[in-house]
Amino acid sequence: MKTAGLFLLLTILCCAKAVIGFQRLSPEQHYARFQERAASRRLEENIGRVFYLTNFGADPKGANDSSDAIEKAIENAFKVQHNKNMLEGVNDLGGVVIDLQGGDYKISRTISFPPNGGGNVVIQGGSIRASENFKNKGCYLVQLWSPATTREGHENSPCKPNTKADIKKTALQVYYEDITFRDILFDSNHHGGGILAVNAVRIRIDNCYFKGFTTEGIKVEKGHEVFISSSFLGQTETIGGDKREKDFSGIAISLDGNDHAVTDVAIFSAAVGVLLSGQASLKQYFYSYF
């Protein structure tokens, strides 16, 4: 009985100490602790092969500009795995994923992929929209264009990416290979185009939606085997018979290069559906009703 009584007394004392030591946290303190724990998890996530835009400060609600955060996430993703190559000089990123997490991101300038390029990467799952004060008028939301790649007639283009990085020259001038864009809405907000790919190879644009373009929804210059599939493109939202059709000015898809494919694509408003130039070759299975 004495032993049981002593055990009960010790239990009571321990519980009393725990209660005395307990402090009720304010909402601000709870949030601060949440931020600390989230920050510790972010480091672990970024060591892996999935990069989340929100970890770099992007605003998934679209209230604030996310241009810097998106470029920072892409730059970090393109730094992984430097011991394997695809084409000569193209770093094999090992299947790294840049995840938009279903967010709706506003940008105020063109998002340029790293000038030294890379390959075997996926960008997926969300929306990218030009803000009202988009700086690069007539340019693109996203571009795969290394300054080391010659683009005739565009040497002084305002769309040309600016960089101070040392760029390794490649014999083929190819810097981007096997890059997939999927499940993304690109809204140019009538400021320019959607995606520009210059001398890129084996690029996939799948299950995407392009709207509000005034130049091209998708523009491909040179390059090989760019596959555009299961996507919708339109300068203006319509389901046909629109009285504004005579004012449509954009080009949905502009292709130059070889062995490209457009399959299961609906073009619902544009001045030109698909424009072929140079020595472009195309397998096409698309629908238009403008």
Side-chain angles (χ1 to χ4, degrees):
M1 290 294 293
K2 290 183 178 180
T3 302
L6 180 60
F7 177 76
L8 178 61
L9 178 61
L10 289 174
T11 301
I12 294 172
L13 289 174
C14 289
C15 292
K17 184 178 179 181
V19 171
I20 292 172
F22 173 78
Q23 295 180 349
R24 184 179 296 276
L25 298 178
S26 67
E28 292 78 12
Q29 290 172 316
H30 275 295
Y31 183 72
R33 287 194 176 183
F34 167 77
Q35 291 285 68
E36 291 175 2
R37 292 168 183 167
S40 65
R41 287 197 296 269
R42 284 174 186 171
L43 179 60
E44 295 175 359
E45 289 171 350
N46 293 339
I47 292 174
R49 295 304 179 95
V50 179
F51 289 76
Y52 300 105
L53 298 190
T54 53
N55 287 352
F56 296 86
D59 178 8
K61 295 182 179 180
N64 301 306
D65 180 53
S66 294
S67 305
D68 290 341
I70 293 173
E71 282 201 341
K72 186 176 179 182
I74 295 172
E75 288 171 4
N76 277 267
F78 271 62
K79 290 177 182 177
V80 303
Q81 194 164 339
H82 282 278
N83 59 342
K84 295 180 180 179
N85 285 314
M86 303 186 78
L87 282 175
E88 178 189 351
V90 179
N91 178 33
D92 182 348
L93 300 173
V96 65
V97 174
I98 300 168
D99 199 326
L100 279 63
Q101 300 170 274
D104 195 341
Y105 302 95
K106 180 174 65 177
I107 60 174
S108 60
R109 57 180 170 79
T110 297
I111 302 300
S112 295
F113 275 53
N116 279 307
N120 193 5
V121 56
V122 173
I123 304 94
Q124 67 178 18
S127 299
I128 298 176
R129 304 178 192 270
S131 64
E132 292 298 331
N133 60 341
F134 191 74
K135 300 174 183 177
N136 305 110
K137 305 294 184 183
C139 297
Y140 302 84
L141 295 176
V142 174
Q143 61 184 20
L144 306 176
W145 177 15
S146 172
T149 300
T150 302
R151 192 181 177 207
E152 295 180 5
H154 296 271
E155 291 80 7
N156 299 315
S157 169
C159 305
K160 186 174 183 177
N162 295 317
T163 180
K164 297 180 180 179
D166 293 329
I167 303 174
K168 298 178 181 179
K169 298 284 186 178
T170 65
L172 298 174
Q173 286 200 353
V174 172
Y175 292 87
Y176 307 102
E177 179 184 5
D178 188 21
I179 294 179
T180 299
F181 297 90
R182 70 186 181 203
D183 306 331
I184 302 175
L185 182 145
F186 295 90
D187 182 1
S188 301
N189 200 15
H190 302 282
H191 289 305
I195 291 179
L196 169 67
V198 180
N199 209 28
V201 301
R202 291 180 271 280
I203 306 300
R204 285 180 290 268
I205 300 173
D206 179 56
N207 199 34
C208 290
Y209 193 115
F210 294 82
K211 59 180 289 189
F213 51 85
T214 54
T215 54
E216 300 91 2
I218 302 170
K219 185 173 181 61
V220 178
E221 290 187 6
K222 303 180 181 178
H224 296 265
E225 299 160 11
V226 174
F227 285 11
I228 304 167
S229 61
S230 302
S231 295
F232 299 91
L233 298 97
Q235 183 179 26
T236 302
E237 300 281 1
T238 179
I239 56 172
D242 197 301
K243 295 180 180 179
R244 299 168 293 177
E245 288 180 0
K246 61 183 178 61
D247 298 320
F248 293 162
S249 60
I251 300 171
I253 300 172
S254 177
L255 295 175
D256 178 18
N258 293 298
D259 302 322
H260 304 312
V262 178
T263 59
D264 297 319
V265 167
I267 300 171
F268 55 85
S269 65
V272 177
V274 178
L275 176 64
L276 301 182
S277 57
Q279 298 178 347
S281 60
L282 169 69
K283 294 180 179 179
Q284 59 184 50
Y285 303 94
F286 64 91
Y287 311 92
S288 63
Y289 47 86
F290 56 91

